[in-house]
Amino acid sequence: GGRAGGTLLSLDLQTGEQLSTAQFALGKPQNGQPYFVVPSTLDATTNAMQGVMWYYVHGETELKWGTLALPEDPNSGGEIDFTISSDVTADVWSSSKPQVVCADGYLYSFAQALHNTSDYPTAISQLDAKTGALVKTFPLAVEANQHYGALACNE
């Protein structure tokens, strides 16, 4: 498995200026490492947002949906707290293919069997972007030499 920890950077999308940094805890496998965050769920009153952490437990990958609580002072570089809500391994494991949140409020992700011998996703998962609850799974018909690389919203 990968090493635990990491840094979350907050950037101004207009200028690219770095606004703040926060740290994911290092050194403990139980802390996991960030797989992705869902910035559109940021609640400014609680300074928290939804995201997924990647854990490597007993030789197996596990992806956990939960709430990331950012440090109260955005300029402190303090640690991010993560509270697990659910296991979403089967719904969002995508071999690092990006997820997308569309205007309908849902997060869409390729889903790929962890021990799939090919690099091909087998479905698209639709999840509630605020809770991580699986709404629907759309199976993909994959033919020889056909490869899906990214998802986009039709808005």
Side-chain angles (χ1 to χ4, degrees):
R3 67 180 188 88
T7 302
L8 178 69
L9 302 175
S10 174
L11 305 173
D12 181 311
L13 293 177
Q14 300 297 317
T15 66
E17 176 187 355
Q18 181 177 316
L19 302 174
S20 65
T21 64
Q23 303 301 314
F24 289 96
L26 290 170
K28 299 178 191 170
Q30 67 268 26
N31 291 336
Q33 67 184 52
Y35 192 59
F36 66 86
V37 296
V38 188
S40 63
T41 63
L42 180 62
D43 181 338
T45 60
T46 62
N47 214 27
M49 72 177 103
Q50 302 305 302
V52 173
M53 294 290 280
W54 179 349
Y55 297 85
Y56 194 69
V57 181
H58 307 295
E60 295 290 327
T61 292
E62 294 181 5
L63 300 176
K64 305 291 185 179
W65 183 276
T67 301
L68 297 112
L70 304 175
E72 286 188 32
D73 179 358
N75 298 312
S76 70
E79 283 192 356
I80 297 168
D81 184 46
F82 184 70
T83 304
I84 295 173
S85 299
S86 61
D87 186 318
V88 292
T89 307
D91 305 324
V92 301
W93 173 253
S94 62
S95 190
S96 299
K97 292 172 182 64
Q99 294 73 27
V100 63
V101 178
C102 297
D104 61 4
Y106 294 110
L107 178 138
Y108 296 89
S109 176
F110 285 117
Q112 178 176 331
L114 277 175
H115 302 291
N116 191 349
T117 55
S118 72
D119 191 31
Y120 302 122
T122 56
I124 295 174
S125 297
Q126 179 187 32
L127 292 88
D128 183 301
K130 291 190 185 270
T131 67
L134 180 65
V135 176
K136 189 168 184 177
T137 301
F138 304 91
L140 290 173
V142 179
E143 297 178 17
N145 298 319
Q146 184 178 15
H147 186 77
Y148 296 99
L151 296 169
C153 301
N154 184 14
E155 301 169 341

